[in-house]
Amino acid sequence: MPATQKLKAHQPFADRSRQRDDKRRAVLKTAMGLFLEVGYHRATLTEIARRLTITKPALYNYFANKEEILVECYRLGFELMNVTMLEIESRGGTGREKLRALMKSYAKHMMSEYGRGLIALDDRELAGRARGRVRADKRRIDQCFQRFIAEGMEDGSIVQGDVKLTAFTLAGALSWISQWYDPRGRWPVEQIADEMTTRLIDGLAAR
C-alpha cells in the first residue's frame, strides 16, 4: 500500500469527521450563494457541484437532495440568531436595552448569507413537515421581539402601544435589509446596523 494511502487509512476519525464537516459547510455556503443569486427554484445541484469543482455524485455524499440543503441553510440561519437571543436574554437589562441589542444583531444577521436566506428564500418550496419547522423557528424570533417590547412597556423604558404591531414594524423594517443590502456597497455592516437600530428604537423611547 502506498504511504499516502496508508496514512489516509489510519487518519484519526476526528480529523476525518472534521474534514467532512468542513466540506458540508462548503456545500452549504456555495448553495446559499447560488440560491440568493438565482433563486432556489432555478438553482441546480449540477451548478452547485460545478462551483465546488466536484462531481454531482460526490455531492450526494453530503446531502440527498436540494431540499435537504435548503433545510440545513434555514437551520443554520436560525441557529445563529437563536444563540444571539439567548445571550441577550442572559445579560439582563431593561426591555429597551434588550430590544436594542436584538435589533442590532438582527440587522447584522440580515446582511449575512444565512440571515438573508431566512427572508429572501421562500419556505413554501419545502415539504409540509420541513416548512412547519422553519416557520416555527421564524415565530420564535418574532416572539423574542414581542417579549422584549412587552418587558420594555412594563418597566417603563418603551412607550405604550400594541406589542405585536410594534414587533412586526421593527422586524419588517430590519428584514428588508436583506433585499437591498450589497456587500460591495459604500456602507459597512456595523454602520447600517447602528443607524437603522438608532432610528427605529428612538421612536419607542418612553418620555
Side-chain angles (χ1 to χ4, degrees):
M1 179 186 295
T4 53
Q5 289 185 4
K6 187 175 182 180
L7 179 62
K8 186 175 181 179
H10 290 83
Q11 186 179 19
F13 176 77
D15 289 348
R16 295 201 301 272
S17 296
R18 189 158 47 246
Q19 286 185 2
R20 179 176 176 78
D21 288 343
D22 289 344
K23 290 174 181 177
R24 277 176 59 86
R25 282 192 290 269
V27 171
L28 291 170
K29 184 175 177 60
T30 300
M32 178 56 83
L34 183 62
F35 292 162
L36 290 172
E37 181 183 326
V38 304
Y40 174 77
H41 186 68
R42 293 178 59 192
T44 65
L45 292 179
T46 300
E47 177 60 16
I48 294 170
R50 188 192 70 78
R51 293 187 179 199
L52 288 164
T53 63
I54 61 175
T55 64
K56 187 177 177 181
L59 199 56
Y60 292 121
N61 289 323
Y62 307 101
F63 296 97
N65 50 51
K66 190 170 72 167
E67 183 183 67
E68 191 175 293
I69 294 175
L70 180 59
V71 168
E72 185 64 8
C73 285
Y74 272 126
R75 188 192 69 78
L76 285 173
F78 173 73
E79 187 178 85
L80 293 169
M81 197 63 214
N82 191 47
V83 169
T84 295
M85 292 190 296
L86 292 173
E87 287 177 350
I88 294 170
E89 189 80 73
S90 67
R91 273 185 240 148
T94 66
R96 186 171 183 271
E97 287 168 342
K98 288 194 278 189
L99 179 62
R100 183 184 182 90
L102 176 64
M103 288 170 62
K104 183 173 180 180
S105 294
Y106 188 74
K108 291 166 75 171
H109 197 46
M110 288 300 102
M111 291 178 270
S112 70
E113 282 184 326
Y114 293 119
R116 290 167 63 198
L118 281 176
I119 304 302
L121 300 178
D122 189 349
D123 58 32
R124 288 175 297 183
E125 300 283 0
L126 299 173
R129 183 174 295 181
R131 183 170 63 249
R133 287 198 303 269
V134 167
R135 291 184 176 179
D137 287 341
K138 289 180 178 180
R139 281 196 298 273
R140 280 195 279 275
I141 296 175
D142 288 336
Q143 288 164 359
C144 190
F145 269 90
Q146 291 180 43
R147 186 165 64 253
F148 292 163
I149 290 167
E151 287 179 17
M153 290 181 182
E154 186 175 343
D155 66 29
S157 60
I158 291 177
V159 67
Q160 294 297 313
D162 187 290
V163 171
K164 196 168 186 178
L165 184 57
T166 303
F168 284 171
T169 299
L170 298 177
L174 296 173
S175 294
W176 194 248
I177 297 174
S178 65
Q179 304 296 318
W180 57 258
Y181 172 68
D182 183 351
R184 300 161 300 180
R186 52 181 275 203
W187 299 305
V189 168
E190 195 72 25
Q191 181 181 350
I192 293 173
D194 272 337
E195 290 274 351
M196 289 200 66
T197 299
T198 298
R199 298 288 178 264
L200 289 168
I201 205 165
D202 277 357
L204 299 177
R207 294 174 174 83

